[in-house]
Amino acid sequence: MSWFESLILGLVQGLTEFLPISSSAHLRLTAAFAGWHDPGAAFTAITQIGTEAAVLIYFRKDIARIVSAWFRSLTNKAMRSDHDAKMGWLVIVGSIPIGVLGLAFKDHIEGPFRDLRLIATTLIVMGIVLGIADRLAARDEAGGKHRAVKERKSLKELGVKDGLIFGFCQALALIPGVSRSGATISGGLLMGYTREAAARYSFLLAVPAVLASGAFELKDAGEGHVSWGPTIFATIVAFVVGYAVIAWFMKFITTKSFMPFVIYRILLGIVLFALVGTDTLSPHAGESAG
C-alpha cells in the first residue's frame, strides 16, 4: 500500500465511519474503483481505532462519568441504580453480540462478505430500513391533523432488552455495506428512541467493539500488502477527519432527516449492481491481495 492510498483510505474512513453509509463498504469500493488491492478487514479494523479515538475525545465527559460510576457500582450497591452506572453495564451487554458473532464469522468477514454484490444488496436493503425508521420518527415528532405528537424514549429508559437489540443491530455491521451507525440508529428509531439518543448510544456502544477488533487485528497489520507506516498514517487521518464529522453529525441529526443518506445508499447500491452486472467491475475486484 502506498502513502497516497493510505491518505485517501484514511479520509474515506474518517468521512464515512459515523455516517449511516458504511465505512467498510466505502473502503472496499474506493479500492475497487481505483484499481487498488482491497485494504482488507485488518486494515479497516485498525483504522477504525483512529475514528474511535475521536469518539473518546468528543464524548470524553460522558465516557469518564460512565466509567467512574460503573467502577464505583462494583463495590457500592447504592450506585447500581445510578443512570451512568447502568449505562456502563448496558454498553457491556450490548457489546456481547458483535464479539461472539465477530469471532464466529471471522473467515466470512474477511472473505465472502466482501463480495461487491453482497455490499450492493446491503446498501440498498439497509437504506430502505433506515428510511422507514426515519419516517416513523419524523411522524412521531411532527404529529398530524388527527395525530398527536408522540414522545420518544431517551437513554434513561434504556434497559437490558433494548441494549441487546442495539447490540444485535451493531453486529449486522460485520457485513460491509450495513453500516454500524446506520444499523444501530435504525434499530433505536424503530424501538422508539429519539434520533439523538439512538446516535449517542450507537457511538458509545461502538467504542469497546472497535477497540477490541482493532487490537485483535494488529497482528495482521504487517502481513500481505498492509504495512505499519501507511496503516498508522491512515489511522491518524481517520481520527482528525472523524472528529470533525462527529461534531457535524450530532448537530445535523437534531434538526434534519436521514433521507439524504437513504437516497445515497440506494443509488450507490443500484450503480454498483449495474457495474457488476455489465462486467464493468468484477464482484471480487482487488480481492487477490486481500
Side-chain angles (χ1 to χ4, degrees):
M1 176 180 291
S2 70
W3 291 96
F4 177 72
E5 286 179 50
S6 67
L7 170 64
I8 299 302
L9 293 174
L11 286 171
V12 170
Q13 169 64 29
L15 286 169
T16 59
E17 172 67 17
F18 304 113
L19 303 181
I21 56 176
S22 179
S23 61
S24 57
H26 279 76
L27 287 173
R28 176 79 177 87
L29 293 176
T30 299
F33 289 151
W36 301 336
H37 292 308
D38 178 0
F43 176 88
T44 301
I46 295 168
T47 54
Q48 283 178 335
I49 293 177
T51 45
E52 285 314 301
V55 172
L56 291 173
I57 293 176
Y58 187 85
F59 291 106
R60 60 189 179 280
K61 293 181 181 178
D62 300 58
I63 293 173
R65 196 174 61 247
I66 290 170
V67 171
S68 174
W70 181 80
F71 272 111
R72 282 183 286 154
S73 74
L74 296 177
T75 55
N76 185 345
K77 290 184 178 181
M79 281 295 300
R80 293 172 189 174
S81 60
D82 180 81
H83 171 66
D84 289 325
K86 288 181 179 178
M87 279 296 296
W89 285 111
L90 289 170
V91 168
I92 292 173
V93 168
S95 299
I96 294 173
I98 197 171
V100 174
L101 295 174
L103 289 174
F105 292 97
K106 184 177 186 296
D107 291 339
H108 291 78
I109 295 167
E110 296 177 348
F113 284 1
R114 301 184 77 78
D115 188 303
L116 296 182
R117 291 165 296 192
L118 177 59
I119 291 175
T121 301
T122 53
L123 282 169
I124 293 171
V125 172
M126 288 307 300
I128 293 171
V129 172
L130 178 61
I132 293 171
D134 183 70
R135 182 62 181 167
L136 291 174
R139 187 179 66 178
D140 288 347
E141 293 163 357
K145 186 176 180 180
H146 303 293
R147 185 176 61 249
V149 172
K150 182 179 178 181
E151 178 133 9
R152 302 205 123 225
K153 294 188 284 188
S154 70
L155 287 183
K156 290 187 177 181
E157 298 169 79
L158 182 67
V160 173
K161 178 183 175 183
D162 285 358
L164 277 173
I165 293 174
F166 266 112
F168 278 107
C169 289
Q170 176 179 237
L172 291 173
L174 292 169
I175 305 172
V178 170
S179 169
R180 185 190 310 276
S181 64
T184 49
I185 290 173
S186 294
L189 294 179
L190 291 172
M191 286 189 287
Y193 288 89
T194 65
R195 299 168 193 271
E196 194 275 338
R200 185 171 291 269
Y201 185 62
S202 171
F203 290 161
L204 293 175
L205 189 60
V207 172
V210 171
L211 293 181
S213 174
F216 182 77
E217 295 287 1
L218 279 175
K219 61 182 176 60
D220 296 327
E223 296 181 5
H225 66 284
V226 179
S227 56
W228 277 107
T231 300
I232 292 174
F233 178 57
T235 303
I236 294 171
V237 172
F239 161 72
V240 174
V241 177
Y243 186 89
V245 172
I246 294 176
W248 172 82
F249 188 63
M250 291 305 293
K251 292 179 181 177
F252 176 88
I253 61 173
T254 59
T255 58
K256 306 294 184 181
S257 164
F258 287 116
M259 289 311 295
F261 303 114
V262 172
I263 295 170
Y264 173 77
R265 289 181 64 103
I266 294 174
L267 289 178
L268 180 59
I270 292 173
V271 169
L272 191 53
F273 266 129
L275 291 174
V276 173
T278 57
D279 292 326
T280 303
L281 192 66
S282 166
H284 306 290
E287 282 187 358
S288 59

